[in-house]
């Protein structure tokens, strides 16, 4: 619910890393792997769009690999809110400050740690589960995608529009 989202956000108000991943998931329909594969080149700040064209897959032994999405329909560009665009701009500026401090190049990935290293999706998922348990909220990261779809429908979006936004090949899946 909106109330539960606010509770979670309040819990993470000082954790920009988690807040960025969580709000990006809330304001888009991204799958978990898509959130953590998102690069700054995928965001069009001028037109308020995000393009989904890759996903992360965790490898045995701790590595991460970038892959194309599982279906052609999962490659898509969606319109996003100005609120999300503004939050992402703020995070990008913060990352650039970290890069200067660490004497690193600006990161390509949106969701990074303060050290600019990649975040494993499973670590954020586990963190969210732990926090939600403390808040007495039963949710995991992928359910944020379901919440987004539900909110779209509650606000008058057609099932077809939601299907296209989610990247589903069949309306029955939506």
């Amino acid at each position: 619910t909106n109330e539960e989202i606010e509770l979670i956000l309040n819990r993470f108000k000082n954790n920009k890393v988690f807040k960025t991943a969580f709000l990006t998931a809330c304001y888009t329909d991204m799958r978990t792997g898509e959130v953590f594969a998102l690069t700054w080149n995928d965001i069009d700040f001028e037109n308020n769009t995000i393009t989904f064209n890759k996903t992360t897959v965790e490898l045995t032994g701790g590595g991460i690999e970038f892959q194309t999405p599982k279906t052609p329909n999962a490659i898509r560009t969606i319109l996003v809110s100005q609120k999300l665009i503004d939050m992402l701009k703020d995070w990008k500026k913060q990352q650039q400050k970290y890069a200067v401090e660490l004497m690193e190049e600006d990161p390509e990935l949106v969701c990074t740690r303060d050290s600019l290293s990649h975040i494993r999706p499973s670590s954020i998922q586990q963190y969210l589960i732990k926090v939600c348990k403390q808040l007495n909220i039963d949710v995991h990261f992928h359910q944020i995608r379901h919440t987004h779809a539900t909110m779209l429908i509650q606000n008058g979006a057609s099932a077809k529009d939601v299907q296209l936004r989610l990247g589903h090949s069949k309306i029955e899946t939506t």
Side-chain angles (χ1 to χ4, degrees):
T1 65
N2 285 328
E3 295 78 20
E4 291 169 328
I5 289 171
E6 285 303 315
L7 280 173
I8 295 167
L9 283 174
N10 285 334
R11 176 69 166 74
F12 295 108
K13 63 184 170 195
N14 296 322
N15 184 334
K16 287 193 177 256
V17 174
F18 181 84
K19 189 175 178 182
T20 298
F22 183 75
L23 280 177
T24 300
C26 285
Y27 287 118
T28 67
D29 49 61
M30 296 176 94
R31 294 172 177 90
T32 308
E34 292 170 332
V35 171
F36 296 98
L38 187 65
T39 64
W40 291 113
N41 289 335
D42 298 326
I43 302 169
D44 182 340
F45 289 107
E46 214 172 282
N47 295 306
N48 290 17
T49 62
I50 295 179
T51 299
F52 308 111
N53 54 24
K54 59 194 160 303
T55 189
T56 53
V57 175
E58 292 188 39
L59 304 172
T60 306
I64 292 179
E65 181 177 277
F66 294 93
Q67 296 181 354
T68 56
K70 60 183 179 180
T71 67
N73 291 351
I75 298 172
R76 63 210 184 276
T77 299
I78 65 164
L79 188 63
V80 295
S81 70
Q82 188 62 49
K83 185 175 181 177
L84 177 61
I85 291 293
D86 292 342
M87 189 266 316
L88 289 169
K89 283 179 182 177
D90 288 344
W91 175 239
K92 186 173 185 178
K93 286 178 191 170
Q94 185 64 48
Q95 277 188 330
Q96 289 169 333
K97 286 180 187 176
Y98 291 145
V100 169
E101 290 170 13
L102 297 167
M103 294 185 288
E104 299 277 341
E105 290 186 27
D106 289 346
E108 291 181 37
L109 291 170
V110 173
C111 293
T112 64
R113 300 181 190 287
D114 293 347
S115 64
L116 304 181
S117 62
H118 192 267
I119 300 172
R120 290 174 52 97
S122 61
S123 64
I124 289 288
Q125 291 170 328
Q126 291 165 359
Y127 192 47
L128 178 64
I129 289 168
K130 178 182 173 185
V131 168
C132 287
K133 197 173 195 177
Q134 294 169 356
L135 296 172
N136 202 29
I137 300 171
D138 183 24
V139 69
H140 57 80
F141 205 89
H142 188 77
Q143 286 174 311
I144 299 167
R145 181 171 157 84
H146 302 166
T147 299
H148 181 78
T150 300
M151 289 179 173
L152 287 172
I153 290 170
Q154 287 173 339
N155 286 302
S158 71
K160 184 65 175 175
D161 288 339
V162 174
Q163 173 197 356
L164 294 173
R165 187 170 173 98
L166 293 174
H168 289 155
S169 56
K170 295 186 251 177
I171 192 80
E172 295 81 15
T173 305
T174 308

